[in-house]
Amino acid sequence: LNMKHSWLVVWVGTLFLNPVTADCNITFQTVICEESGKNLSSIPTNLSQNVTKLSLKNNKITLKDSDKEILGHFINLTELNLNENRITELHNNSFCNLKNLINLDISNNHISTVHKAAFAGLNQLSVLNLSYNMIAQLDSDAFTSLESLTVLNLQYNLLNYFHIKSPFKLIKIVLAGNRWICSCDLLDLQIWLTASNVTLENESNTTCTLPNKEKISIKMAIQQPAECNIEKTSLENTVTSTPVISLRSSALITALTPNITGNNGTHAELPLVGKSWTFLAGVLGFVLGTTLLIFTAVKCPTWYHYVISYRHHRLEENDPERFEQEFSAGTSPSPSVLRTNSEEPIVIFEKIHAFGDGEDGFIEDKYIDSYVNEER
């Protein structure tokens, strides 16, 4: 009996105290595990799968494939803290099974690359902290699937621009401490910040750098947006003045490959030449027209000589006699000169050619219709 009581005590202690998760605070609704500052190189496997709040800050975690697999078991997780680790890249579907995750902190790492589908599956995510990393390029499409996202922290990265392709709903955004450059690349971000209801936190320190090294608020970076439209038009005109072959190649490549994603998951910007089917049609029309003009110029001399060779007229009734006289005058070696009473010289040419029995005095011309000979 005492033996049974002993086993019962051990079982109850294992169930409620859970020695393998001694650093986890288990309550009725939440399981909070604190695994910070333990020099961990990977996510531990001895955690309760019912954990709802997990802190792994100040470790050496790199978020390898094995770490993503372990994280996928914590389906009840609502808060995840991975700051102050050694994460350098956020691959696609890094947190895809954490459908209940609300708060994700990946700040103070060495992240330089964020793939487009890195946050896929986080339908309930509300707060995302990516501050104090090394992100130089970021595709806004990475956040469009986060329908519940309200707070985005991107401060103190290496961003020069941030294109807002499809606006996403935010309540607060933090952009201070980046390397913003005052150029037309900030136009869509500026328009979005002005038109939306988003709050730009620490706005006074969110500045961009002018060409003269002066700093100005990012909302005032482009005071005359029309200038950017002029620059864009000038760029398009410059592109249309390039050689036809290169234009056609660029247009076809762009039309066939609308989106290209680099190896690091960031969006590679495409040239503006082929983004419109009308531009492609114009280029093709120009190429065909130029080719036709060149072909016509080359063939024109041949056609001209061909047409000239057919310039002839039908012989008249008195043409044979006139031809005979002219021919006799040109071939006679010694014309005879007779004088009359009026003493005017009369030149008589001797007939040196007599027509045969079957000849009628007409010159044969291969271009005269056969029916003319038949009538004669």
Side-chain angles (χ1 to χ4, degrees):
L1 183 60
N2 292 333
M3 183 65 67
K4 291 182 180 180
H5 286 182
S6 299
W7 279 108
L8 181 60
V9 171
V10 172
W11 180 79
V12 172
T14 303
L15 180 63
F16 290 97
L17 298 179
N18 196 1
V20 295
T21 58
D23 292 332
C24 294
N25 183 14
I26 302 175
T27 63
F28 179 72
Q29 294 181 341
T30 61
V31 179
I32 303 174
C33 295
E34 181 66 40
E35 295 291 323
S36 302
K38 293 188 175 182
N39 206 27
L40 299 174
S41 59
S42 60
I43 297 176
T45 58
N46 59 348
L47 302 176
S48 172
Q49 294 188 0
N50 294 324
V51 62
T52 57
K53 297 180 181 180
L54 176 60
S55 178
L56 295 168
K57 67 179 182 179
N58 193 18
N59 283 292
K60 299 179 180 179
I61 298 173
T62 58
L63 205 60
K64 304 184 295 291
D65 291 339
S66 57
D67 295 328
K68 292 191 294 183
E69 184 178 354
I70 296 172
L71 278 177
H73 297 153
F74 306 142
I75 58 176
N76 296 322
L77 199 63
T78 58
E79 294 184 18
L80 177 60
N81 191 342
L82 289 171
N83 68 326
E84 300 181 29
N85 278 278
R86 297 183 179 179
I87 304 173
T88 60
E89 185 174 2
L90 292 179
H91 297 276
N92 291 331
N93 304 310
S94 294
F95 314 96
C96 59
N97 289 333
L98 307 181
K99 300 185 182 300
N100 294 316
L101 193 65
I102 297 176
N103 193 328
L104 177 58
D105 189 350
I106 328 175
S107 61
N108 287 280
N109 278 274
H110 305 283
I111 300 174
S112 60
T113 303
V114 179
H115 289 261
K116 188 175 180 179
F119 307 108
L122 301 181
N123 300 326
Q124 301 299 322
L125 188 65
S126 177
V127 180
L128 176 58
N129 190 350
L130 288 169
S131 62
Y132 293 95
N133 279 289
M134 303 175 65
I135 303 173
Q137 292 183 345
L138 189 60
D139 195 333
S140 64
D141 289 341
F143 309 110
T144 54
S145 62
L146 305 178
E147 300 176 354
S148 303
L149 188 65
T150 57
V151 179
L152 177 60
N153 192 340
L154 294 173
Q155 67 177 342
Y156 291 98
N157 278 278
L158 304 177
L159 294 171
N160 292 327
Y161 59 90
F162 183 39
H163 291 301
I164 306 295
K165 300 175 185 176
S166 51
F168 46 94
K169 298 178 181 179
L170 287 177
I171 297 177
K172 182 173 66 175
I173 189 170
V174 190
L175 299 173
N178 283 279
R179 300 177 179 177
W180 304 111
I181 297 177
C182 301
S183 66
C184 290
D185 289 331
L186 291 181
L187 179 60
D188 52 355
L189 176 60
Q190 177 180 329
I191 294 175
W192 176 70
L193 290 173
T194 305
S196 64
N197 296 323
V198 64
T199 299
L200 181 59
E201 189 174 278
N202 201 5
E203 181 177 347
S204 60
N205 292 329
T206 308
T207 59
C208 62
T209 304
L210 293 170
N212 60 359
K213 305 301 181 182
E214 181 183 354
K215 294 186 179 295
I216 189 175
S217 173
I218 196 173
K219 282 190 173 183
M220 302 296 295
I222 306 170
Q223 298 182 1
Q224 296 181 354
E227 295 179 357
C228 293
N229 295 331
I230 294 175
E231 291 181 5
K232 182 178 180 181
T233 303
S234 300
L235 177 61
E236 292 177 352
N237 292 336
T238 302
V239 170
T240 55
S241 65
T242 55
V244 176
I245 296 178
S246 61
L247 277 176
R248 180 172 57 180
S249 302
S250 300
L252 290 175
I253 292 173
T254 309
L256 294 175
T257 59
N259 288 314
I260 299 177
T261 303
N263 295 330
N264 57 1
T266 57
H267 182 76
E269 294 296 332
L270 294 175
L272 296 175
V273 284
K275 288 186 177 179
S276 173
W277 65 270
T278 55
F279 177 82
L280 176 61
V283 171
L284 292 177
F286 179 76
V287 171
L288 294 176
T290 304
T291 304
L292 181 61
L293 289 176
I294 295 174
F295 179 78
T296 304
V298 172
K299 291 297 183 180
C300 185
T302 304
W303 293 342
Y304 176 78
H305 291 299
Y306 183 76
V307 172
I308 289 299
S309 65
Y310 278 87
R311 294 184 60 182
H312 59 275
H313 60 279
R314 191 182 303 276
L315 292 175
E316 299 178 359
E317 292 295 334
N318 57 349
D319 282 348
E321 298 178 358
R322 184 176 61 184
F323 174 79
E324 180 180 354
Q325 294 176 0
E326 295 176 353
F327 179 77
S328 300
T331 55
S332 176
S334 56
S336 300
V337 179
L338 298 178
R339 293 184 178 274
T340 60
N341 295 331
S342 61
E343 296 184 357
E344 293 180 356
I346 299 177
V347 179
I348 300 175
F349 295 91
E350 295 181 359
K351 188 175 181 180
I352 61 174
H353 176 75
F355 295 103
D357 294 337
E359 297 178 353
D360 53 2
F362 290 96
I363 298 174
E364 181 179 359
D365 191 341
K366 63 180 179 180
Y367 298 111
I368 298 178
D369 297 336
S370 60
Y371 72 90
V372 176
N373 293 330
E374 294 176 359
E375 291 177 358
R376 292 177 180 275

